[in-house]
Amino acid sequence: MMMNRLSRRHFIASSLALLTPRVSPAFASDKPPKPKSTPPASGNPYQGPSGSAGVTLLSPAAVSQGGIGSGATTLVLYDVTGEFGWLGELYGIMGANLVSHFGGWTAQPVTRYVAGQMNQYSAVVYFGSTYDEPLPVAFLDDVLAGGRPVVWVADNIWQLTNRWAALNPGGSFAAAYGWMWSSFDFSTVAEVVYQGTSLRRYSANAAGILNYGEYSPSVVLAFAVRADGTRFPWAVRSRNLTYLGENPFVFMVEGDRGLAFEDMLFDALAPSTAERHQALVRLEDITPADDPASLRAVADYLFSRGVPFGFGVISRYLDPFGTFNAGVPEDIRLRESPEIVAALRYLQQRGGVMIEHGFTHQYAKVRNPYNAVSGDDFEFYRVVENADHTLNFVGPLAEDSEKWARGRLDEAEKEFKAAKLDVPRIFEFPHYAASAADYRAVAGQFTTRWERSLYFRGLLSGGTIDPTRVTGQRFSYVVQDVYGSKVLPENLGSIEPEVFFQFPQRFPEDILGDAQRVRVVRDGFASFYFHPFLDIGYLRETVEGLQAAGWTFVSPASL
């Protein structure tokens, strides 16, 4: 049997990042000089999209999809031109995912905007990622007309202020709107203050934040705080326009300033939403080789606190090289582990909801990237370890296809049925990584995933999916993502009491600190996971800390 041990599981879940190339000096009053482009980071989709530069995207037609909200609709606009135009589609995907929480959406390149189009929607979200993207005059005029709430992210705001000046000769945009930009500020900023809460910002992010020559304090929603303690506006709102001076999807971590953006969307799309703070907890990486006594102990504790929970099950345990069995290979199926099966039923009796966590949570007899052991390696995506212990997300597996992925799902289903367990209705990809084909396969057999996920260029623009242009995303509330699946949030990561290479320790106090930051999202979740083989004291400290802070645990089945 496998010994309880600290696992490398979900190490990729601890950080998410996207790199926007921008290097720019101070600039004149009409617009900044064209930035000097630098290639994005490569290798790990949670550290930056990869791929060679210089590819020009076609300008695709609009893509529309329903959502899960109460009827609001959103027009998501994104950039597509220039050397790094492909980044715009990734930002558009991430934006569409978030606004799906409120209802249906349409996403398209901003260059395809036509006069009056925004009047068909509840609100507009525009991601400016290409310097001087050719914005249609009709779009600028409709924004200035003020008919719909507009959330404008990052670049090209100077085109709007220039258009306002052209329409109002001798007037002052600052007098009309209460603010006017001045230049990009490249100070070290590791903190954004929103609603009195200090949110994290990756301090090495040197992309810059737009600063202001003048502003009224009444229009400021959030402040960027420099290393010396001075601050300047990070986001402002006046009339129908909310403006963020940088892209919150660039270099994201837990407790990040992206939380402010997630909350600001409520103002545009569901302003009457009541404040509510719910929590989720998931027991992770349960295999047929685990200790049933530890599972029962965790279930008893959660039940005693009135905490419903989820638990992720790997239905077949493989250790093909005998890494944890003195060199002797192991292959243990759920149907061959009656004590574990009994423990899983006990978890359900104690309020647990079973989650299908892949089939084997590893890939054949391949170190992907570590040891080919269930729970430690990737199952649906090829990953190799670099010499410096960072990870290179190579791409889909050689045999990857929807048919292949459905075969894995079918095998897992057979295993649950052979063990006389109901097949789970919620799915979680091992290590939060899969190809677009795999996500489509899961969407065909499960209505819901519970995870962070990968998204690829091509999901909006059509054509062949490009696995070299990829980003990861987490959520603070339930969404229906571009794959068409409902996705339950996991935004706090896990407790990890030991350092693993570049991945730091994470203790209950870290989970609780980030949960406090999540409270700025008026109807958000504090969602984390726990490996049952760890000291149960870590779980107690986290659960009781969240309950003391006013979080209410709910069942994933209720969502």
Side-chain angles (χ1 to χ4, degrees), residues 12-18 43-49 251-252 378 393 431-433 439 452-454 470-474:
I12 67 167
S14 63
S15 65
L16 297 163
L18 225 101
N44 188 337
Y46 293 88
Q47 296 177 337
F251 289 114
M252 292 187 293
F378 291 75
F393 284 62
H431 286 330
Y432 296 163
Y439 285 110
R452 307 178 186 191
S453 304
L454 300 184
V470 57
T471 183
Q473 190 175 14
R474 67 165 180 271

Side-chain angles (χ1 to χ4, degrees), residues 187-531:
S187 303
T188 298
V189 173
E191 177 186 7
V192 169
V193 176
Y194 177 64
Q195 297 184 351
T197 298
S198 175
L199 305 176
R200 291 195 180 98
R201 181 180 185 272
Y202 181 55
S203 61
N205 178 0
I209 305 171
L210 199 66
N211 203 343
Y212 297 79
E214 52 186 313
Y215 64 89
S216 167
S218 65
V219 304
V220 179
L221 297 178
F223 282 98
V225 183
R226 302 182 185 92
D228 64 3
T230 59
R231 63 185 195 171
F232 61 98
W234 184 82
V236 294
R237 178 183 296 134
S238 56
R239 300 190 177 186
N240 66 311
L241 179 63
T242 300
Y243 175 68
L244 281 68
E246 68 162 346
N247 191 331
F249 294 149
V250 178
F251 289 114
M252 292 187 293
V253 296
E254 272 88 2
D256 180 80
R257 84 282 197 218
L259 294 167
F261 177 61
E262 287 181 306
D263 184 66
M264 290 175 192
L265 293 176
F266 282 89
D267 293 326
L269 292 161
S272 62
T273 300
E275 186 168 350
R276 180 176 59 169
H277 301 292
Q278 299 179 98
L280 290 167
V281 60
R282 186 178 68 232
L283 307 181
E284 197 76 333
D285 292 336
I286 298 171
T287 80
D290 279 357
D291 174 21
S294 64
L295 298 179
R296 290 173 182 269
V298 169
D300 285 341
Y301 166 70
L302 292 173
F303 183 77
S304 74
R305 298 294 304 183
V307 174
F309 58 95
F311 58 97
V313 177
I314 305 161
S315 55
R316 183 180 180 184
Y317 172 78
L318 290 172
D319 181 357
F321 303 118
T323 301
F324 296 104
N325 194 41
V328 179
E330 284 191 293
D331 180 351
I332 306 173
R333 294 175 176 269
L334 199 56
R335 69 184 76 178
E336 301 165 345
S337 308
E339 293 183 358
I340 284 291
V341 171
L344 299 182
R345 291 197 181 98
Y346 187 78
L347 265 60
Q348 292 174 318
Q349 294 164 5
R350 289 303 208 187
V353 175
M354 189 156 57
I355 313 301
E356 185 171 316
H357 193 25
F359 176 37
T360 64
H361 203 314
Q362 54 82 244
Y363 174 47
K365 293 185 178 180
V366 177
R367 301 183 188 276
N368 191 34
Y370 294 111
N371 52 27
V373 177
S374 293
D376 280 1
D377 274 13
F378 291 75
E379 181 176 354
F380 289 87
Y381 212 75
R382 185 70 177 109
V383 178
V384 297
E385 186 181 25
N386 301 315
D388 63 355
H389 304 302
T390 59
L391 299 178
N392 181 18
F393 284 62
V394 177
L397 301 170
E399 63 269 53
D400 183 72
S401 68
E402 275 193 66
K403 181 179 179 180
W404 174 85
R406 286 196 300 269
R408 305 292 291 180
L409 304 180
D410 291 344
E411 288 300 315
E413 179 177 334
K414 291 176 185 176
E415 205 56 52
F416 284 111
K417 288 181 176 178
K420 294 182 172 52
L421 292 167
D422 291 336
V423 179
R425 300 174 61 186
I426 302 174
F427 190 85
E428 176 198 356
F429 274 106
H431 286 330
Y432 296 163
S435 72
D438 303 334
Y439 285 110
R440 286 194 294 266
V442 167
Q445 295 185 221
F446 296 82
T447 60
T448 306
R449 303 195 317 272
W450 185 1
E451 58 178 32
R452 307 178 186 191
S453 304
L454 300 184
Y455 300 96
F456 304 87
R457 175 199 167 191
L459 290 171
L460 294 182
S461 57
T464 303
I465 297 295
D466 185 349
T468 69
R469 309 290 172 85
V470 57
T471 183
Q473 190 175 14
R474 67 165 180 271
F475 310 103
S476 294
Y477 33 70
V478 180
V479 305
Q480 181 170 299
D481 73 356
V482 294
Y483 298 117
S485 296
K486 181 179 289 187
V487 183
L488 308 187
E490 187 286 282
N491 58 350
L492 296 179
S494 69
I495 298 160
E496 298 292 350
E498 293 183 19
V499 174
F500 175 71
F501 294 115
Q502 78 269 36
F503 303 102
Q505 294 170 301
R506 189 163 175 80
F507 291 106
E509 63 192 60
D510 300 308
I511 301 277
L512 296 173
D514 286 332
Q516 180 61 34
R517 297 178 179 92
V518 175
R519 288 183 72 88
V520 301
V521 182
R522 67 198 69 181
D523 191 16
F525 283 79
S527 180
F528 74 102
Y529 60 91
F530 177 77
H531 292 102

Side-chain angles (χ1 to χ4, degrees), residues 83-163:
E83 185 179 13
F84 297 105
W86 55 271
L87 280 167
E89 182 182 354
L90 296 182
Y91 298 134
I93 290 168
M94 299 171 85
N97 287 338
L98 286 178
V99 301
S100 73
H101 176 74
F102 306 94
W105 54 266
T106 295
Q108 68 181 55
V110 67
T111 52
R112 285 186 173 266
Y113 183 87
V114 297
Q117 187 177 4
M118 68 174 60
N119 294 327
Q120 303 169 33
Y121 299 88
S122 305
V124 176
V125 180
Y126 165 58
F127 294 94
S129 59
T130 294
Y131 174 90
D132 263 357
E133 181 84 359
L135 301 183
V137 171
F139 171 61
L140 301 175
D141 287 349
D142 285 352
V143 173
L144 293 172
R148 292 292 184 271
V150 176
V151 181
W152 188 305
V153 176
D155 284 350
N156 303 319
I157 192 67
W158 46 89
Q159 295 190 45
L160 183 72
T161 57
N162 290 345
R163 179 60 179 168

Side-chain angles (χ1 to χ4, degrees), residues 172-194:
S172 166
F173 183 86
Y177 279 80
W179 57 271
M180 181 62 185
W181 56 268
S182 62
S183 63
F184 281 111
D185 192 308
F186 296 97
S187 303
T188 298
V189 173
E191 177 186 7
V192 169
V193 176
Y194 177 64

